[in-house]
């Protein structure tokens, strides 16, 4: 018959392992994998504003840890969307917030050049036709190209912190949500 010592202590130790793994290891592993994808996306982006705005945030909920690579809200995200998906041909006209209740005709009358849209500091007309912009995807290709590397980085992070002697490391502060 098999005999063991320290049953309750062993059960207590085993019960705390999942929480310890989550706080000390898995968030960092998700961050390490996400950083590989974020770095690749920065290299693929055609805009410095977009590259500077790429972030990697880790979020933990019960039973799940996710790493989200995205672009910070604001101008960089707008440019990122245009780059990733391109734009369709469209007309550009005077923004309602700039009209101050005036019609385009009245704005044109008030402007000495007789035009209401300004491009490069010069009035160009009441409307402009934009031919659209070609898509230059960078986020999805970064994920497709770096997925294996991201998994390897996460695995390497885990291997460095989990051994037969136990879990090493500390609970990581970081840019968690």
């Amino acid at each position: 018959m098999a005999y063991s010592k320290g049953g309750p202590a062993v059960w207590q130790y085993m019960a705390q392992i999942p929480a310890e793994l989550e706080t000390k290891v898995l968030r960092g592993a998700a961050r390490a994998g996400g950083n590989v994808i974020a770095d690749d996306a920065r290299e693929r982006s055609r805009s410095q504003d977009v590259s500077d705005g790429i972030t990697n945030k880790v979020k933990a909920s019960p039973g799940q840890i996710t790493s989200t690579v995205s672009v910070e809200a604001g101008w960089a995200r707008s440019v990122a969307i245009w780059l990733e998906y391109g734009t369709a041909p469209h007309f550009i006209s005077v923004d309602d917030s700039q009209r101050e209740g005036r019609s385009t005709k009245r704005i044109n009358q008030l402007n000495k050049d007789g035009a209401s849209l300004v491009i490069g500091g010069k009035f160009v007309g009441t409307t402009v036709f934009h031919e659209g912009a070609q898509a230059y995807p960078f986020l999805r290709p970064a994920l497709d190209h770096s997925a294996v590397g991201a998994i390897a980085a996460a695995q390497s992070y885990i291997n460095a912190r989990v051994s037969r002697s136990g879990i090493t490391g500390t609970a990581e502060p970081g840019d968690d949500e």
Side-chain angles (χ1 to χ4, degrees), residues 64-107:
Q64 183 174 358
I65 296 175
T66 57
S67 174
T68 304
V69 176
S70 64
V71 180
E72 293 175 341
W75 175 249
R77 183 175 292 168
S78 296
V79 174
I81 292 168
W82 299 332
L83 283 174
E84 189 77 14
Y85 302 108
T87 61
H90 58 282
F91 284 96
I92 303 170
S93 62
V94 179
D95 188 283
D96 289 336
S97 68
Q98 302 297 315
R99 289 178 183 269
E100 298 176 347
R102 298 175 292 204
S103 67
T104 303
K105 181 179 179 183
R106 180 66 179 141
I107 292 170

Side-chain angles (χ1 to χ4, degrees), residues 35-150:
N35 284 341
V36 171
I37 294 168
D39 290 343
D40 191 0
R42 285 184 193 98
E43 289 178 20
R44 292 173 182 275
S45 172
R46 292 179 163 231
S47 166
Q48 189 62 45
D49 289 337
V50 173
S51 293
D52 293 343
I54 292 175
T55 62
N56 175 23
K57 296 190 178 186
V58 176
K59 180 180 180 183
S61 57
Q64 183 174 358
I65 296 175
T66 57
S67 174
T68 304
V69 176
S70 64
V71 180
E72 293 175 341
W75 175 249
R77 183 175 292 168
S78 296
V79 174
I81 292 168
W82 299 332
L83 283 174
E84 189 77 14
Y85 302 108
T87 61
H90 58 282
F91 284 96
I92 303 170
S93 62
V94 179
D95 188 283
D96 289 336
S97 68
Q98 302 297 315
R99 289 178 183 269
E100 298 176 347
R102 298 175 292 204
S103 67
T104 303
K105 181 179 179 183
R106 180 66 179 141
I107 292 170
N108 287 338
Q109 291 170 350
L110 294 174
N111 291 324
K112 60 183 175 192
D113 293 335
S116 57
L117 289 175
V118 178
I119 296 178
K122 296 182 179 182
F123 289 102
V124 295
T126 59
T127 61
V128 174
F129 180 73
H130 189 285
E131 297 176 358
Q134 181 178 351
Y136 293 100
F138 63 97
L139 277 175
R140 184 59 196 216
L143 174 62
D144 293 343
H145 181 262
S146 300
V148 172

Side-chain angles (χ1 to χ4, degrees), residues 152-171:
Q155 186 64 57
S156 175
Y157 187 94
I158 292 168
N159 291 346
R161 284 157 182 80
V162 177
S163 66
R164 290 181 184 266
S165 60
I167 299 170
T168 60
T170 60

